[in-house]
Amino acid sequence: QVQLVESGGGLVQAGGSLGLSCAASGSIWSGSIMAWHRQISGSRRELVAMVTVDGRTNYADTVKGRFAISRDNFKNTVYLQMNDLKPEDTAVYYCELSFGGMHYWGKGTLVTVSS
């Protein structure tokens, strides 16, 4: 059984920074992809950023240049550093781990950006 636990959400003013982390535990295969998604109230969940086991990254256009995703394969942990935050970044952020056709999700952490 794979479990993901996110941490680091909270309230921040516009222009500020916040870091999220997500630790995975359980039987994790090699070659996993780790990602952050977010869901704004009333909208569909959207991909924010993803990172492969060898460090290749991909970002949503809305966060390019502001957010940075990274991972520690030894710790099975993925991070999301969010800079220059905007009120429209306010959302519940979810961590995802995928491998072998399986997808696992954390419970989410709320990020609120005040104007």
Side-chain angles (χ1 to χ4, degrees):
Q1 190 74 8
V2 175
Q3 290 187 324
L4 302 174
V5 179
E6 300 112 331
S7 61
L11 174 65
V12 64
Q13 288 188 332
S17 298
L18 205 59
L20 305 180
S21 64
C22 172
S25 60
S27 300
I28 301 169
W29 295 2
S30 61
S32 64
I33 294 174
M34 302 188 82
W36 287 96
H37 300 250
R38 68 186 180 187
Q39 187 165 20
I40 300 169
S41 179
S43 301
R44 297 178 65 177
R45 192 174 296 186
E46 61 178 8
L47 175 68
V48 174
M50 60 181 292
V51 58
T52 63
V53 69
D54 57 356
R56 288 174 290 154
T57 59
N58 192 28
Y59 295 91
D61 288 342
T62 52
V63 306
K64 279 181 181 177
R66 299 189 298 122
F67 290 13
I69 189 171
S70 61
R71 65 188 286 173
D72 184 327
N73 292 328
F74 182 76
K75 295 181 179 179
N76 287 324
T77 300
V78 63
Y79 306 94
L80 185 68
Q81 178 62 38
M82 304 182 291
N83 300 319
D84 189 24
L85 282 159
K86 306 175 185 299
E88 51 264 40
D89 294 318
T90 295
V92 177
Y93 284 72
Y94 296 91
C95 173
E96 181 201 10
L97 170 69
S98 57
F99 59 87
M102 303 295 291
H103 299 268
Y104 301 91
W105 295 88
K107 293 182 178 181
T109 184
L110 177 63
V111 172
T112 303
V113 184
S114 63
S115 58

